[in-house]
Amino acid sequence: MKIQILLFILFLQFCFAPICSAESPTEEAPAGLPVTALLGEKLEYRVSFLWFKKIARGEIRLEAGPETGTYLATLKAATLGVAAFFTRNRVETYTTLMEEGPDGLLRPLLQTSDTRKERAGQETHRQTSYAFDFGARQVNYSKTVNGTLKLSQGLEMDGSAPVYDFLSAFYNLRLGRFGTINSDTVIKLSTFSRKGPNEIEIYGMTQKQQVAMDFAQDLLLCKVLLSPETFKMKGRDVYVGFDQLLRPQIAVVKNVIGLGDVRGELIRATTPGQLH
């Protein structure tokens, strides 16, 4: 069982809402909503694959960061029932501390990936982090196991293009800062991993393609291409369906190694207005 895959489903379900129809974001000041429009929002999901239902639960939320002008995005998932037993009560948490850059787009300051497993009172804790230094065009990578630093190195950013992690890209998209989505949508975002610069590609799908894939016609369907090694896929294809409020309702990750197609579904959404 790869809980990373389950987290990936959750991420994809919310990650690609409003998307521009150009191949990259423009250099002009972005339009769209202020970040405060989504502060306090929480989306909750259930995850299934093959004939196994509800094997994991997850959530994503956006909160104010520790300093003025910063924002903290959190994605968390945990296995349930028998799956929890076989994965040693595994919990995966991704966090990204963000700020608005000079171009008005959200950019990552610190991204962390945290894995905790526990059985019979014995806990294993692994954490990786990417600290982004945009002035030096460098990303500082580190890895710790049970609190001990195992690796630390500096990685160079490619050129001067904006760089996003998946959570900062997600919230830029959710806020409409890359425009609107339709069947002609194409967007390519620069991202980063330990292997160096990479891209996230997003394409709008036509109604004909949507019907052929058996997605409900009242959803808006997108195809997303990611690096296969990131979440242990045989290919790159992911499909995400959005409702009229641009909330990701369904996502399908194709050809996950050992799991086949993995499916996530939105089960609850708490909006900022519901918090008061």
Side-chain angles (χ1 to χ4, degrees):
M1 180 76 63
K2 298 179 177 66
I3 190 67
Q4 294 99 324
I5 301 300
L6 309 181
L7 271 168
F8 179 53
I9 280 288
L10 304 179
F11 155 62
L12 290 167
Q13 287 176 307
F14 48 69
C15 189
F16 303 108
I19 302 168
C20 72
S21 57
E23 288 206 353
S24 62
T26 67
E27 295 182 357
E28 298 177 0
L33 299 171
V35 183
T36 52
L38 293 181
L39 282 179
E41 181 189 64
K42 182 169 72 172
L43 305 177
E44 300 176 65
Y45 294 86
R46 65 185 174 205
V47 181
S48 307
F49 72 93
L50 299 176
W51 54 88
F52 299 104
K53 306 298 182 183
K54 304 178 184 179
I55 61 172
R57 291 285 293 272
E59 67 176 44
I60 180 173
R61 62 182 185 270
L62 181 64
E63 304 165 295
E67 298 181 6
T68 301
T70 65
Y71 310 94
L72 184 66
T74 302
L75 170 63
K76 184 176 182 179
T79 47
L80 303 171
V82 174
F85 174 79
F86 284 109
T87 60
R88 296 174 55 195
N89 298 299
R90 189 164 182 166
V91 178
E92 292 274 358
T93 306
Y94 288 108
T95 62
T96 300
L97 182 66
M98 307 177 291
E99 67 174 3
E100 290 182 308
D103 57 1
L105 295 169
L106 289 169
R107 64 183 184 181
L109 298 173
L110 178 65
Q111 180 202 14
T112 64
S113 174
D114 187 288
T115 301
R116 293 179 183 269
K117 296 185 289 184
E118 183 273 329
R119 182 175 292 171
Q122 297 293 320
E123 183 177 81
T124 302
H125 180 205
R126 298 175 183 271
Q127 186 178 76
T128 61
S129 68
Y130 293 86
F132 293 80
D133 185 338
F134 289 95
R137 298 300 295 174
Q138 186 175 51
V139 181
N140 298 307
Y141 170 82
S142 67
K143 177 181 179 180
T144 62
V145 179
N146 295 331
T148 301
L149 181 65
K150 296 295 185 179
L151 181 63
S152 179
Q153 65 182 117
L155 306 168
E156 298 299 322
M157 293 186 192
D158 185 23
S160 59
V163 175
Y164 310 91
D165 78 312
F166 65 83
L167 286 173
S168 58
F170 159 59
Y171 280 107
N172 278 314
L173 295 169
R174 285 289 314 283
L175 292 166
R177 296 187 176 188
F178 294 156
T180 56
I181 186 172
N182 55 50
S183 60
D184 296 322
T185 289
V186 176
I187 187 168
K188 297 180 181 181
L189 295 174
S190 296
T191 187
F192 205 89
S193 73
R194 192 183 165 202
K195 294 184 177 181
N198 211 321
E199 281 189 332
I200 299 170
E201 300 179 37
I202 309 162
Y203 301 91
M205 305 289 285
T206 66
Q207 278 289 311
K208 183 177 180 179
Q209 291 170 317
Q210 184 163 329
V211 170
M213 294 193 62
D214 200 28
F215 274 74
Q217 294 189 42
D218 61 343
L219 296 180
L220 184 61
L221 183 62
C222 283
K223 178 179 180 179
V224 182
L225 301 181
L226 294 179
S227 299
E229 64 271 14
T230 303
F231 294 100
K232 306 299 187 297
M233 297 183 291
K234 293 181 180 179
R236 300 182 63 197
D237 296 357
V238 180
Y239 296 90
V240 188
F242 305 92
D243 64 16
Q244 293 181 347
L245 298 178
L246 291 177
R247 296 178 302 189
Q249 291 287 324
I250 298 173
V252 178
V253 180
K254 304 292 290 185
N255 297 317
V256 175
I257 296 173
L259 299 178
D261 294 351
V262 181
R263 180 184 181 93
E265 298 177 77
L266 180 68
I267 57 174
R268 185 175 298 106
T270 302
T271 66
Q274 292 176 307
L275 299 177
H276 302 290

